[in-house]
Amino acid sequence: MIDKRVASCVSAVADIKDGDTVMIGGFGEAGSPIELIHALIDQGAKNLTVINNNTGSGRVGLAALIENGQVAKMICSYPRTANSLVFPELYRSGKIELELVPQGTLAERIRAGGAGIPAFFTKTSVGTPLADGKELRNFEGDDYVMERSLKADFALIKAKQADRYGNLTYNKTARNFAPIMAMAATRTLVQVNEMVELGDLDPENVITPGIFVNALIEVSQPQQESQLVKDGITYPEVKASATNSLEKINSGAIQA
Amino acid sequence: MSQVAKNQKLEATTQIGWNREQMAQRCAQDIEDGSYVNLGIGIPEKVAQYVPDGREVIYHTENGLLGMGNSPSDEELDADLINAGKKAVTAIPGASYFHHGDSFAMIRGNHIDVCVLGAMQVSMKGDLANWSTGAVDAIPAVGGAMDLVAGVKTIYILTQHTTKTGAAKILPECTFPLTGQKVVNRIYSDLCVIDVTENGLVLIELAPGISFDYVQERTGVALINGLSKKNNIADNHIVNTTHKAQQ
C-alpha cells in the first residue's frame, strides 16, 4: 500500500537536519508553502542553504525563517522585493550568504539536478559578473558558460490537488518552481489544498507524477502571505510573549 | 507614427520629445502580428496597451503564463495568478500555464520573438546594463533579465535618453555591470529611435520637434544619421541580429 499522507506539517519536516539544503517553491507568495515553512521554523533546523527565487516578504514564511537565524545561505535570483525587510538587513551586516543566479539559470540548474545532469552550458550571463570564475566553452561560434546543477535534501512545495500516490496538480502561476524542485530533492514534502481519491486526477492532467513526491499534508485553507504582511503578522506570533515569559522566568516572577 | 503624432498634439506644448506613453506607443508599432512577446517590468508593460488594432500578440510572463491578459476585476482577482512583477493579472482564452523550467526554455531556447526592457546604459555595440549599478552596499538582484537578453530573438530597449541628471545613457562602453553583450537591437527613447547595427548606432527616427544635433549632444557615441528618404525606416539600416540564432 502506498499512501504518502503524513499526520501534520510538523511530522513532515521532522527529519530536516542542521546544514541541509532546502528548496522552497513559490514566486513571491504564489505557490509559497507557508504552513510547511512555519513548521520548519518551529522545528528549528539551522545553518540551512535555502533555494527560492526570492527571500520572502514581511516577517512571515520564508522571511521569518531567515529572520529566525536558520538560513546560512540563500540561492536566488531576486533577493529584494516589495516588503522584503529581513534579508537586506542581514545581508548588509554579513550575517547571510547570497549566491545570485539568473532566474532561468536557477530553474535550469534545478531541472538538471532532478534529471541527473551534473552541469550544462548556457549563453545566459556570458560577459557579466555572474559568469566570473566559471568555465567558458565556444560552441558553433558562440560563448557559453558552464553552470552546475542544484540538488537538495528537501523540497517544500504547495499543490492544488493530490492523490495518495503523490500525483499533483497546481493552481495557475503558483506552479512556478514546484515541479522541478520536486524532481531535484531527495525528499519532497507537499502541502496540498485538497486530497482526492486515486483515479480522480485525469492522468493526462497530472503535472507532477507521484514518483517525485514523498510526503503529503492536506492544508485546505492555507494562509495568504500578502494578507499576513498587510495585517502586520509576524511568525512565530508568540515571539513577543515568549520573550516576556523568559524575562519573567529570569526575573523570578515565574517558577520555571 | 500617425497615432503618436496625433497624441503629441494633445500634449502640452512645453514637453520635449515623447512622453512615456508615447514611447510605449511608438515601440508598439514595431510589434508584429502573431508575435510572442515578453514585456519587462515598468514602462515596457505599457507597450501592450498600444499594439495596433488587428494584430494578435501573445504575452509571455516568465513566472509561468503564456497568454497574459489585463488586470483582473475584483471578482477575477487570484493571488495565484500573477505576472513577473508579482502583480495580479488574468489569463486570456487560449492561455497556458507551465513551470519555470519550461518558461525559461521558451526564453533561452529562442522561442520568444520580442522582449522590451528598460536600461541603465546601452553601449554602441548593443551591450546592455540594466540590473546593477555595482554599488557596494546594494543588494544585487538580477531576476530573468540575463536570460531574456541571451535568448529572445529581438531585444527592444525603452528608456529615457539620458539619466535624471542629464548624463548620457548611450555610451561607447557600459560602466555598470553588464546584463548581456551585443544583445540590443533597437532603442526607443523620449527623443528618437536608434538601431544597433554592425556599423554603429543609426538614428532612424526623431520625436517631433527634436533635431539630430539635439540627440547627438545627449549621446555618448557618434550617431549615424539614418534619417533619409522622408524618414523611410524600412531600408536604410541593417538591424544587428548577428549574435542571435536566425530564423
Side-chain angles (χ1 to χ4, degrees), chain A residues 17 25 28 39 50 53 65 71 80 123 132 138 141 149 160 168 181 233 239 242 248 252:
Chain A
K17 302 184 306 297
V50 171
N53 191 61
L65 184 72
V71 183
R80 56 176 155 80
K123 272 188 191 176
D132 287 352
N138 192 284
S149 65
K160 182 182 181 184
L168 306 179
M181 287 180 169
I233 304 290
K239 191 184 273 179
K248 284 176 190 164

Side-chain angles (χ1 to χ4, degrees), chain A residues 41-89:
Chain A
I41 292 173
D42 294 343
Q43 193 258 25
K46 288 195 165 38
N47 201 25
L48 303 172
T49 294
V50 171
I51 301 168
N52 179 274
N53 191 61
N54 307 105
T55 59
S57 66
R59 300 186 186 282
V60 293
L62 176 55
L65 184 72
I66 295 169
E67 187 171 37
N68 204 37
Q70 293 175 257
V71 183
K73 178 180 179 181
M74 280 299 312
I75 302 178
C76 70
S77 87
Y78 211 87
R80 56 176 155 80
T81 37
N83 297 317
S84 142
L85 312 166
V86 173
F87 181 85
E89 194 181 321

Side-chain angles (χ1 to χ4, degrees), chain B residues 144-226:
Chain B
M146 288 186 183
D147 306 290
L148 287 162
V149 299
V152 173
K153 292 174 202 166
T154 301
I155 301 294
Y156 290 154
I157 296 299
L158 207 52
T159 179
Q160 297 298 314
H161 203 85
T162 60
T163 67
K164 282 172 188 163
T165 58
K169 295 176 90 168
I170 301 170
L171 303 164
E173 297 282 349
C174 297
T175 58
F176 295 151
L178 292 187
T179 308
Q181 287 177 319
K182 296 187 186 178
V183 294
V184 176
N185 299 97
R186 182 173 282 184
I187 304 164
Y188 302 85
S189 80
D190 50 327
L191 304 180
C192 65
V193 182
I194 292 173
D195 272 343
V196 181
T197 76
E198 292 289 281
N199 300 322
L201 300 180
V202 180
L203 190 149
I204 59 164
E205 197 173 321
L206 289 165
I210 302 296
S211 70
F212 180 88
D213 289 345
Y214 186 87
V215 176
Q216 182 62 75
E217 283 166 18
R218 287 156 180 78
T219 307
V221 182
L223 297 168
I224 298 165
N225 191 335

Side-chain angles (χ1 to χ4, degrees), chain A residues 26-32 158 223-227, chain B residues 79-80 82 86:
Chain A
F27 179 84
E29 72 169 323
S32 181
K158 182 175 167 183
Q223 296 172 289
Q224 279 297 328
E225 184 179 288
S226 56
Q227 191 60 47
Chain B
D80 283 345
I82 58 173
K86 303 193 174 78

Side-chain angles (χ1 to χ4, degrees), chain A residues 80 92 103-105 171 173, chain B residues 80 100 108 137 139 142-143 147:
Chain A
R80 56 176 155 80
R92 289 204 177 93
Q103 201 171 332
T105 295
N171 189 39
T173 57
Chain B
D80 283 345
H100 252 67
R108 293 151 65 108
D137 62 339
I139 307 291
V142 65
D147 306 290

